[in-house]
């Protein structure tokens, strides 16, 4: 009798173990929400639409985009920080919101402790743009006007200490000039302010500027990086702005206590996404690169960013 009982318990335990393993491996069992802490029409919104149109084939569940702009990205970020750590709520953010803002003000969350990397999707060089009918036909024209009348140039950006604000501050510092920096809830609204005539200049990334450039409604005056993106447009280095200025990393984060099984599933899906032919073609149409980095590798980069941004904030705020 005891032997039969022991055997029965062993079978039951094995069944429970198998059931538990099956439950874990079933992730995801329902749609996943990807929160973007920025406004509609910006480069994150456009990139996310491509990501979420392809990655469900590797997760076997829909991924739903939810825009949650406000407070320079803090509103949506806090929303995900407070969400259940079950793999069903993710944050699609960038390096400035993720690792810089903590050095500017006290946040209601700790980005280093409350989030963990799923994947860095890509990085993008920023560009300086004006309307096609702008009197500033070259970067030299804009620099000269900015120096002659400090603060007279209205520069629309995506929020204080965000992806457009920081390179603008670095640009002004490097060239000893001044713009009037006007915040909007994301790169999309900032670009619309430019197109509407409410701003003289803005910055943006290939995915958000490309269609307007093709339509002839904007003009690009300079781009970040050491190499030209457009043959007739100078780089930041060529106009006197050296160093790592104007690069944004687009990264997907999850709440820190998300189960490892869910993180593994998500990371494997993003790695597969990076090899997907359709995804590569659609991102190419946006003018965006693909450079998937998952897990520990980007976690190390986050730590390096934090140190660098602390020094940058101290430098900019000490002026």
């Amino acid at each position: 009798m005891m032997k039969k009982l022991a055997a029965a318990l062993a079978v039951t335990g094995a069944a429970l173990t198998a059931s538990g393993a099956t439950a874990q491996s079933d992730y995801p069992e329902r749609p996943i929400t990807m929160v973007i802490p920025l406004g509609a029409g910006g480069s994150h919104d456009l990139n996310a639409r491509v990501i979420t149109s392809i990655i469900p084939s590797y997760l076997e569940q829909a991924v739903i985009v939810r825009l949650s702009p406000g407070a320079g990205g803090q509103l949506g970020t806090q929303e995900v920080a407070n969400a259940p750590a079950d793999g069903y709520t993710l944050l699609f953010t960038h390096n400035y919101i993720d690792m810089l803002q903590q050095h500017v003000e006290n946040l209601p969350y700790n980005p280093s402790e409350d989030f963990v990397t799923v994947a860095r999707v890509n990085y993008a060089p920023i560009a300086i743009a004006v309307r096609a009918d702008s009197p500033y036909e070259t970067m030299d024209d804009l620099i000269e006007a900015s120096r002659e009348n400090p603060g007279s140039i209205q520069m629309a950006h995506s929020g204080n200490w965000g992806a457009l604000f920081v390179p603008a501050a670095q640009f002004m510092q490097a060239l000893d000039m001044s713009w009037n920096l006007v915040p909007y809830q994301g790169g999309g609204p900032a670009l619309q302010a430019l197109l509407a005539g409410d701003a003289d200049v803005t910055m943006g990334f290939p995915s958000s500027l490309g269609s307007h450039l093709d339509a002839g409604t904007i003009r690009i005056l300079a781009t970040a990086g050491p190499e030209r993106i457009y043959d007739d447009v100078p780089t930041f280095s060529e106009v006197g702005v050296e160093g790592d200025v104007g690069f944004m990393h687009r990264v997907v984060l999850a709440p820190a206590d998300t189960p490892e099984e869910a993180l593994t599933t998500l990371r494997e899906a993003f790695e597969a996404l990076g090899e997907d032919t359709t995804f590569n073609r659609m991102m190419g149409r946006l003018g965006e690169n693909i450079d998937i980095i998952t897990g520990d590798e980007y976690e190390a980069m986050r730590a390096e960013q934090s140190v660098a941004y602390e020094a940058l904030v101290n430098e900019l705020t000490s002026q």
Side-chain angles (χ1 to χ4, degrees), residues 150-157 172 178-183 199-201:
S152 63
I153 304 296
Q154 304 289 312
M155 192 275 184
H157 64 89
M172 291 189 296
S178 175
W179 291 333
N180 180 24
L181 302 183
V182 182
D200 302 302
V201 62

Side-chain angles (χ1 to χ4, degrees), residues 298-313:
Y298 191 72
E299 281 298 308
M301 292 179 66
R302 290 179 78 208
E304 293 172 359
Q305 289 169 0
S306 180
V307 173
Y309 291 150
E310 182 177 20
L312 174 63
V313 168

Side-chain angles (χ1 to χ4, degrees), residues 22 61 98 107 138 180 203 205 235 252 256:
T22 300
Q61 284 290 345
D98 180 33
L107 300 175
T138 67
N180 180 24
M203 292 188 178
F205 299 94
T235 66
V252 179

Side-chain angles (χ1 to χ4, degrees), residues 230-263:
Y230 310 103
D231 291 340
D232 57 345
V233 177
T235 66
F236 283 11
S237 296
E238 290 178 77
V239 299
V241 180
E242 303 289 349
D244 184 18
V245 177
F247 283 90
M248 181 179 70
H249 298 262
R250 297 190 185 91
V251 57
V252 179
L253 304 176
D257 293 330
T258 299
E260 196 61 37
E261 294 83 0
L263 291 174

Side-chain angles (χ1 to χ4, degrees), residues 215-290:
T217 56
I218 63 170
R219 183 185 303 127
I220 304 295
L221 300 186
T223 59
E227 298 180 359
R228 288 193 174 193
I229 298 174
Y230 310 103
D231 291 340
D232 57 345
V233 177
T235 66
F236 283 11
S237 296
E238 290 178 77
V239 299
V241 180
E242 303 289 349
D244 184 18
V245 177
F247 283 90
M248 181 179 70
H249 298 262
R250 297 190 185 91
V251 57
V252 179
L253 304 176
D257 293 330
T258 299
E260 196 61 37
E261 294 83 0
L263 291 174
T264 297
T265 297
L266 289 166
R267 289 166 180 164
E268 288 177 350
F270 273 95
E271 288 170 352
L273 184 69
E275 302 297 325
D276 187 277
T277 302
T278 302
F279 179 67
N280 277 264
R281 184 175 64 252
M282 293 176 70
M283 291 294 280
R285 289 175 180 169
L286 281 181
E288 297 287 357
N289 64 9
I290 299 171

